[in-house]
Amino acid sequence: MGVEDLIGRIGRFARTGPGRWMAELLAIALIGVLAVYTLPGRTKQVSTVSGETSTAQSSAAPSASSAAPSSTPTTTTTTTTAGPAAPSGIVTAPSGKTVNVYAPKKTSSGVTYTPAHLYSASDAFQGITKDTITLCMHAAISLGSAFNETANDVTTYFRYLNAHGGVLGRKVNMTIADDKYTAQGAQIAAQQCQNQKPFMVLGGIGFDQDPVVRSLAEQNKFLYLYTMADDGSQGHGGPKSYKYSFTASPSIEQVGTWMGQAAIRYTKGPYGAVYVNDPNWVGGYNTFKSYLDAHGGKSVDGDSYTMSSGSDNTQFNTDITLMQAHGVKTVFLWMNAIGADEFVATASSQGFHPQYVTPDGFDLVTGTVGQSMDDKSRSVGPAIGGWVTPAFDPKNPNVPYWSAEKEMLAAYNTYDNGHQPDDIDWQAWLAFKAVTQMFQLCGQDCNRNDVAGMFESGLSAQTPPLCRTDFSKNHNFGGTAMNLWKATRVPYVSPDYPQAGQHTVWKQFVSCSNKFN
């Protein structure tokens, strides 16, 4: 199958009823859902949960006996929410120990924090028993077949984890409810998850889906850890505050500013943009535009074109013709990866070869149209991508986080034999590993008030190779940094989409930064 055939198949799939999906797929992961945590001023960079200090991910298997990272307590002020009745909070935990779900706690590393007052003593331990932890995630699993990705592939980490003793002796049971990558589907999937009474609900990526479930979490009072979304402002006003919903990613508004900084520093004007004009998306474009307007990039104002959804390509031909006529040299793509994929292909076919700036740093793009946007292409310059997880290149052992990639590849060979791991699996792997480490830090008698309380107390930490998180400024959004990548020509075919024959991968050139200007 050639590049054009593959792009056409992806494009046709994208325009089916539920098909506005992919590249961000599934878990992409929970990737900002969590990291290993300590409280403000108590952070170490942790290679494993045994307390080793490192800048690279360890390849050691998680185990029930692993200890949480060490840290030194300092004084911190916390604010807790008025809680339900039963002020004593006394209950017998699944371990058999009598605990108070509202009393100040210590993490397994010795840090004291105050639990949130969200759940009664009888509800705090929902989804956790002496032997198991039940989790549920909403994601677009029904659309994975077009990309050789299944729920079984994405959740390989938990088979690996359970085979190595689980977390603190408990096996993790993960269920994925299909949200069909639609807002309505997300509502249904969230209800399916609620019905299972999990410890918490996790959210796969989806700028349209995560805000819907976030609202449901606040309404129905279930603990929700999601990937990335707007800050609640819907494109105007300030960020909102949430009691039950948290992410270790930055908001899309912050990502928009960072991509604006990258555009001014690494690309040339005149600038153009194609973006989704929807309340759940537009905040990222607004902050990108604001940064450019203030730093010599006001040309973007006259060449910004809208889409009705993340993969709406109906105006691409017209947009491209106008930008060509105006001499645009750099285009900001604020859309999902399917849309970015089709835009690059369409522009190339019309003889338009700008440099691209996009948060769609996913292998779907480089693996199918990479040679139309990389450092050896006819483009003005190589595409600049950004995301919160490190670039996945399983054929490059020279990356500083190779030990983490090697561990993951070996686990997939054992527990998901026959599947070629890709960047979606990689991002899910890292996110689920961080969830594991959160439970280890929270301890044997961890309950839902504890998890929310750690966020409210201002968690700050790093789980390499993920970027550092810090909830001290905003207890709902902990993301403080992201990575930048360049589309780079390599001697080998992109491993994720070999049928397209593209020799392009993302190469990371800025790691975990919060300034790109």
Side-chain angles (χ1 to χ4, degrees), residues 301-347:
D301 296 4
D303 275 294
S304 287
Y305 305 97
T306 62
M307 304 164 63
S308 62
S309 67
S311 59
D312 171 25
N313 67 355
T314 55
Q315 297 297 315
F316 282 179
N317 287 309
T318 301
D319 300 343
I320 290 165
T321 299
L322 291 171
M323 284 190 279
Q324 279 181 297
H326 299 159
V328 168
K329 287 186 168 56
T330 299
V331 178
F332 177 52
L333 300 178
W334 186 245
M335 58 189 73
N336 69 27
I338 288 178
D341 192 80
E342 289 205 64
F343 187 93
V344 173
T346 304

Side-chain angles (χ1 to χ4, degrees), residues 86-104:
S88 68
I90 302 297
V91 68
T92 300
S95 67
K97 180 181 176 182
T98 299
V99 300
N100 186 333
V101 300
Y102 305 136

Side-chain angles (χ1 to χ4, degrees), residues 15-298:
R15 292 188 292 274
T16 60
R20 300 190 317 271
W21 178 50
M22 190 35 201
E24 299 113 292
L25 179 67
L26 225 35
I28 291 200
L30 282 174
I31 221 35
V33 169
L34 292 167
V36 121
Y37 306 111
T38 56
L39 299 183
R42 309 164 191 173
T43 302
K44 283 193 175 182
Q45 294 186 352
V46 186
S47 60
T48 70
V49 289
S50 62
E52 299 173 4
T53 301
S54 173
T55 58
Q57 183 77 27
S58 169
S59 60
S63 68
S65 60
S66 296
S70 60
S71 58
T72 303
T74 60
T75 302
T76 184
T77 301
T78 62
T79 302
T80 57
T81 309
S88 68
I90 302 297
V91 68
T92 300
S95 67
K97 180 181 176 182
T98 299
V99 300
N100 186 333
V101 300
Y102 305 136
K105 301 285 195 338
K106 283 189 176 182
T107 66
S108 56
S109 58
V111 176
T112 300
Y113 65 95
T114 302
H117 284 47
L118 298 180
Y119 301 103
S120 68
S122 59
D123 290 335
F125 287 96
Q126 175 181 293
I128 192 165
T129 71
K130 180 181 178 181
D131 303 313
T132 64
I133 298 172
T134 298
L135 305 176
C136 188
M137 182 172 106
H138 69 85
I141 58 173
S142 61
L143 309 182
S145 60
F147 303 89
N148 190 33
E149 195 75 42
T150 68
N152 190 65
D153 298 328
V154 172
T155 56
T156 296
Y157 173 78
F158 289 110
R159 293 192 295 279
Y160 166 78
L161 174 69
N162 290 338
H164 289 83
V167 53
L168 298 176
R170 294 181 170 105
K171 299 296 178 68
V172 177
N173 298 323
M174 164 67 88
T175 300
I176 300 182
D178 185 14
D179 66 19
K180 305 183 188 303
Y181 206 61
T182 67
Q184 182 180 12
Q187 288 181 306
I188 295 171
Q191 185 60 60
Q192 291 171 342
C193 281
Q194 278 187 263
N195 292 342
Q196 295 182 29
K197 297 187 179 300
F199 185 89
M200 57 189 174
V201 176
L202 308 177
I205 198 166
F207 292 175
D208 294 310
Q209 292 71 51
D210 288 359
V212 169
V213 180
R214 182 173 62 190
S215 294
L216 288 174
E218 298 303 305
Q219 175 184 317
N220 297 342
K221 300 181 180 180
F222 60 83
L223 197 60
Y224 182 48
L225 307 180
Y226 61 98
T227 305
M228 185 184 290
D230 81 308
D231 61 10
S233 64
Q234 296 281 283
H236 56 84
K240 292 185 178 179
S241 180
Y242 302 95
K243 288 184 180 181
Y244 297 86
S245 307
F246 308 92
T247 175
S249 284
S251 67
I252 64 171
E253 287 80 5
Q254 179 61 73
V255 170
T257 298
W258 286 337
M259 297 310 296
Q261 292 176 353
I264 293 296
R265 179 170 182 179
Y266 297 108
T267 71
K268 300 176 181 179
Y271 296 94
V274 185
Y275 67 98
V276 181
N277 190 18
D278 177 274
N280 290 327
W281 286 76
V282 74
Y285 165 73
N286 288 346
T287 52
F288 175 85
K289 175 182 176 297
S290 294
Y291 188 86
L292 261 65
D293 285 350
H295 295 84
K298 280 187 71 67

Side-chain angles (χ1 to χ4, degrees), residues 303-459:
D303 275 294
S304 287
Y305 305 97
T306 62
M307 304 164 63
S308 62
S309 67
S311 59
D312 171 25
N313 67 355
T314 55
Q315 297 297 315
F316 282 179
N317 287 309
T318 301
D319 300 343
I320 290 165
T321 299
L322 291 171
M323 284 190 279
Q324 279 181 297
H326 299 159
V328 168
K329 287 186 168 56
T330 299
V331 178
F332 177 52
L333 300 178
W334 186 245
M335 58 189 73
N336 69 27
I338 288 178
D341 192 80
E342 289 205 64
F343 187 93
V344 173
T346 304
S348 183
S349 71
Q350 292 184 212
F352 184 44
H353 303 284
Q355 188 168 10
Y356 295 100
V357 177
T358 178
D360 289 312
F362 302 120
D363 291 359
L364 172 69
V365 182
T366 50
T368 55
V369 295
Q371 289 180 205
S372 296
M373 55 185 278
D374 65 17
D375 58 341
K376 304 297 183 183
S377 69
R378 297 172 59 191
S379 295
V380 173
I384 304 296
W387 196 240
V388 292
T389 48
F392 180 64
D393 184 3
K395 292 184 178 292
N396 183 12
N398 296 318
V399 296
Y401 45 85
W402 173 246
S403 61
E405 286 190 302
K406 184 178 179 182
E407 175 194 25
M408 177 254 199
L409 293 170
Y412 268 76
N413 185 57
T414 301
Y415 299 101
D416 195 28
N417 193 24
H419 172 67
Q420 170 63 50
D422 57 25
D423 61 328
I424 295 167
D425 300 306
W426 167 239
Q427 295 182 52
W429 175 273
L430 293 177
F432 293 146
K433 194 178 188 74
V435 171
T436 298
Q437 294 174 329
M438 181 205 72
F439 277 112
Q440 289 171 323
L441 184 68
C442 191
Q444 189 70 38
D445 294 314
C446 183
N447 67 74
R448 295 190 292 169
N449 286 332
D450 292 339
V451 171
M454 288 193 294
F455 286 113
E456 289 182 355
S457 296
L459 305 178

